Amino acid sequence: MTTSVPSRLPSGKNSTAEKLLVAASELMIERSSIEISLSDIAQKSGANAALVKYHFGNKDGLLLALLARDAATEMSNLEYLLAQQITSTAKLKLHIAGIIRAYHRFPYMNRLIHYLLHESVAGSADEVSKFFVAPLLDFHRRLLAEGVSRGEFRQTDPVLFYTSLIGACDHLFFGRHAMSRATGVGPVTDDVCRQYIKHMETLICGGILTQAEEAAAAG
């Protein structure tokens, strides 16, 4: 079965579809895992498991709709950020912080992306690319081009930039379990999130900003 994001979810805060999405989200956060069953979702939401098929086709369809829902707000923020009358450097720092906080707010996001891109039913990877990968990569292209035209950024390949930033977010959350076994580090707390934002700002800006902009930022 090919799964796609439903073209329109039932409106209203109390719609069954929305309850199912909320239940799935809460369960994955509580368990730190995307391994949840239809019966788990049904029990958490108070709805019948058969309604997952009615609204989303199957469980993968629900997971795809959940990722689309979570990504929608973040993607809409990109256009707003790009339109702001601030320096490209300030936009870059806000974007770095925003992406890391989004992964922190939805800790299952990276695992869900991996699953839907590589392990789910046919068509899921195309859908994720349409509503997450492509818009984010396009934003990076435009932001980097703006920064170069203003003399703030060095020429930077947007694909490599995307790989660096999203890969860094991915490993902080997805690779945390492996690191905890190897080094004893704890979970990603709010404080860890703030530290990582600062670290990534320093790392990325140190590689992208022109010498003049770097001096201005430091001063």
Side-chain angles (χ1 to χ4, degrees), residues 57-77:
N58 53 27
K59 191 179 83 169
D60 280 3
L62 182 148
L63 296 178
L64 190 60
L66 175 61
L67 182 61
R69 186 203 70 173
D70 292 345
T73 300
E74 304 308 320
M75 296 304 109
S76 65
N77 287 340

Side-chain angles (χ1 to χ4, degrees), residues 154-197:
R154 299 183 179 98
Q155 287 285 351
T156 303
D157 185 299
V159 174
L160 295 181
F161 176 85
Y162 173 96
T163 304
S164 299
L165 177 57
I166 303 306
C169 292
D170 188 63
H171 195 72
L172 174 66
F173 294 94
F174 194 69
R176 194 73 174 181
H177 297 292
M179 287 192 294
S180 67
R181 291 183 175 86
T183 65
V185 296
V188 181
T189 62
D190 289 342
D191 187 53
V192 169
C193 190
R194 286 191 292 270
Q195 290 178 38
Y196 203 62
I197 288 170

Side-chain angles (χ1 to χ4, degrees), residues 21 26 37 52 72 78 102 116 120-121 143 153 160 171 196:
L21 292 177
E26 291 178 349
S37 68
V52 172
L78 299 181
L116 292 169
S120 185
V121 295
L143 176 59
F153 299 167
L160 295 181
H171 195 72
Y196 203 62

Side-chain angles (χ1 to χ4, degrees), residues 11 56 58 83 116 148:
S11 60
F56 303 104
N58 53 27
L116 292 169
V148 170

Side-chain angles (χ1 to χ4, degrees), residues 12-61:
K13 292 183 179 179
N14 295 320
S15 71
T16 302
E18 183 60 24
K19 285 182 179 179
L20 291 167
L21 292 177
V22 170
S25 175
E26 291 178 349
L27 283 169
M28 287 189 285
I29 291 173
E30 290 169 5
R31 299 180 181 182
S32 297
S33 171
I34 64 170
E35 297 299 324
I36 55 176
S37 68
L38 290 182
S39 59
D40 291 334
I41 297 170
Q43 184 176 8
K44 182 77 171 178
S45 66
N48 191 303
L51 291 173
V52 172
K53 184 174 182 179
Y54 174 78
H55 288 294
F56 303 104
N58 53 27
K59 191 179 83 169
D60 280 3

